[in-house]
Amino acid sequence: MGQRLSGGRSCLDVPGRLLPQPPPPLPPVRRRLALLFAMLCVWLYLLVYSCAGSCAAAPGLLLLGSGSRAAHAPPAPGPDGSPPRLPFPASPATQSAAGEEMAEGATSQEEQSPETPDSPSPISSFFSGSGSKQLPQAIIIGVKKGGTRALLEFLRVHPDVRAVGAEPHFFDRSYDKGLAWYRDLMPRTLDGQITMEKTPSYFVTREAPARISAMSKDTKLLVVVRDPVTRAVSDYTQTLSKRPDIPSFESLAFRNRSAGLVDRSWSAIQIGLYAEHLERWLRHFPARQMLFVSGERLVRDPAGELGRVQDFLGLKRIISDKHFYFNQTKGFPCLKKAEGSGRPHCLGKTKGRPHPEIDVQVLRQLRDFYRPFNRKFYQMTGHDFGWD
């Protein structure tokens, strides 16, 4: 018996290959790769979760932007059908009405929403709090009813421009609050982006040139100018819409109509004396730091005028014809996609107010009055705007 047990196989004497064996340990390289993959999955989940509410507000993802596919996409047709090729042909009457609509965009938007949201950048939309607040390197300083809102909205399409939506009015109304308060109004920017704001009343505020120069002598200044007679009528039309009981345009424009004495103290007239206002600015800033944008050309050829602006600001020429379509109903160019939206956008939804009927002789007298100021302005800027 003992021989059989010692000579045979015991029930415990089972070959090792028949027992379940633990899996061999992963090699160090594969173990690290697996860990990295798990970390990547967690990071992607957190990124998507954090961006769920902010991606819709990133215009660079919807419009253009550095490397954005939308910047190279073929133009989409406007809501009125296939848009004509820019620059846009327009009759003088159409240009006047179009300029009125675009120039009044600021008022319409600010009346409806006093705080226009800032233009977010693609990257800062992903990472809340990224970037820093800077004092503006460029300011649209004027002029009222010239098309400043149109210029700002067009520029906000550029991925390297970050701008305050509402007018800060710091250098004319709130200067006593200090630069720290002013800086806090600005949007956050990343390296390579420009901080901007617009307040048209700066151009006619006597203290503004010295105050902006004290902030930074390198500030770039943009002035949107328009035929001063048309601008004055547009200014009056806006006031009339709010105060229907004001006197007639003729009675406000002249101290003595029969003698042809124009009332220069009326703000609608005084703003159009561009040469006089420019003299104050040139005491504090060299001419090379100022760009004068034609309000008429901003209607007729927005991409061409925006090209000049982008060059002046040192930006890559990204905004072009493909970002605009000509709205036949309104009679002026609109954005195919506004910042923060994938839909077409036109300024001044409630605008297009008809101008009051003004005696042709009154308009002729005003043109005679402005002519010497216009010619001096042409000489100072080196550009004939063709208002005469």
Side-chain angles (χ1 to χ4, degrees), residues 1 13 97 125 136 149 172 204 222 246 267 283 295 326 329 344:
M1 179 64 112
D13 188 13
S125 297
R149 174 59 60 178
D172 58 350
V204 298
L222 296 99
I246 62 172
S267 62
R283 296 184 195 127
F326 190 78
T329 302

Side-chain angles (χ1 to χ4, degrees), residues 17 60 94 116 122 139 155 180 193 209 228 239 253 260 262 270 296 314 365:
R17 67 178 181 273
T94 301
T116 307
I139 303 177
L155 277 174
Q193 291 183 319
T239 304
V262 175
Q270 197 261 346
E296 288 84 7
Q365 287 176 299

Side-chain angles (χ1 to χ4, degrees), residues 91-102:
S91 65
T94 301
Q95 292 177 21
S96 176
E100 168 71 9
E101 184 85 12
M102 294 178 67

Side-chain angles (χ1 to χ4, degrees), residues 47-376:
L47 178 65
V48 172
Y49 182 80
S50 64
C51 290
S54 61
C55 289
L61 300 178
L62 299 172
L63 292 172
L64 51 139
S66 302
S68 171
R69 288 181 297 176
H72 308 286
D80 301 341
S82 299
R85 186 174 182 84
L86 299 178
F88 309 122
S91 65
T94 301
Q95 292 177 21
S96 176
E100 168 71 9
E101 184 85 12
M102 294 178 67
E104 292 181 357
T107 305
S108 65
Q109 291 194 358
E110 288 164 10
E111 286 173 354
Q112 296 170 14
S113 175
E115 280 297 324
T116 307
D118 293 331
S119 164
S121 70
I123 298 179
S124 61
S125 297
F126 284 98
F127 301 101
S128 176
S130 63
S132 59
K133 294 189 175 186
Q134 306 289 336
L135 291 170
Q137 296 90 42
I139 303 177
I140 300 174
I141 59 173
V143 298
K144 180 184 179 185
K145 313 309 296 177
T148 58
R149 174 59 60 178
L151 177 61
L152 183 70
E153 292 303 312
F154 293 168
L155 277 174
R156 284 161 67 105
V157 172
H158 201 291
D160 292 332
V161 171
R162 299 277 282 122
V164 182
E167 297 175 3
H169 283 283
F170 174 66
F171 295 104
D172 58 350
R173 301 178 188 172
S174 304
Y175 193 64
D176 58 331
K177 295 182 179 179
L179 286 174
W181 177 87
Y182 183 50
R183 181 190 290 110
D184 195 54
L185 298 178
M186 300 298 124
R188 293 183 180 274
T189 53
L190 302 172
D191 289 343
Q193 291 183 319
I194 293 177
T195 302
M196 290 189 66
E197 70 115 315
K198 89 152 182 93
T199 304
S201 54
Y202 290 163
F203 188 64
V204 298
T205 300
R206 291 183 175 275
E207 299 82 6
R211 289 173 175 177
I212 295 178
S213 177
M215 176 188 73
S216 174
K217 295 183 180 298
D218 297 324
T219 307
K220 293 186 176 182
L221 308 172
L222 296 99
V223 188
V224 188
V225 289
R226 185 183 181 192
D227 182 334
V229 177
T230 307
R231 198 220 65 81
V233 176
S234 175
D235 199 338
Y236 174 79
T237 303
Q238 176 182 313
T239 304
L240 185 64
S241 69
K242 300 175 182 178
R243 297 167 50 199
D245 58 337
I246 62 172
S248 68
F249 178 85
E250 293 86 343
S251 62
L252 292 171
F254 292 91
R255 285 188 297 166
N256 188 323
R257 169 77 189 281
S258 59
L261 295 177
V262 175
D263 188 355
R264 293 181 41 154
S265 65
W266 185 34
S267 62
I269 296 295
Q270 197 261 346
I271 290 173
L273 303 175
Y274 303 142
E276 291 190 354
H277 303 305
L278 180 56
E279 286 179 342
R280 289 197 299 270
W281 287 92
L282 290 177
R283 296 184 195 127
H284 299 274
F285 291 94
R288 66 177 180 275
Q289 282 179 231
M290 304 184 72
L291 182 70
F292 295 89
V293 179
S294 167
E296 288 84 7
R297 193 172 179 220
L298 203 57
V299 174
R300 188 171 61 250
D301 180 16
E305 203 67 355
L306 264 292
R308 294 179 59 238
V309 175
Q310 290 173 95
D311 291 346
F312 172 72
L313 295 176
L315 298 170
K316 182 179 179 181
R317 280 203 180 198
I318 289 178
I319 306 173
S320 63
D321 280 350
K322 62 189 173 186
H323 295 107
F324 302 96
Y325 75 94
F326 190 78
N327 189 306
Q328 298 286 359
T329 302
K330 291 180 174 290
F332 59 81
C334 302
L335 287 170
K336 287 182 180 176
K337 296 179 182 179
E339 59 90 17
S341 171
R343 299 167 56 185
H345 173 63
C346 288
L347 296 177
K349 295 179 181 178
T350 61
K351 299 305 175 181
R353 303 186 188 100
H355 286 182
E357 187 172 342
I358 298 174
D359 190 334
V360 176
Q361 180 61 26
V362 170
L363 298 178
R364 185 178 297 113
Q365 287 176 299
L366 286 178
R367 294 197 182 282
D368 292 340
F369 166 76
Y370 277 120
R371 186 169 293 109
F373 297 100
N374 290 345
R375 290 179 177 173
K376 184 176 181 181

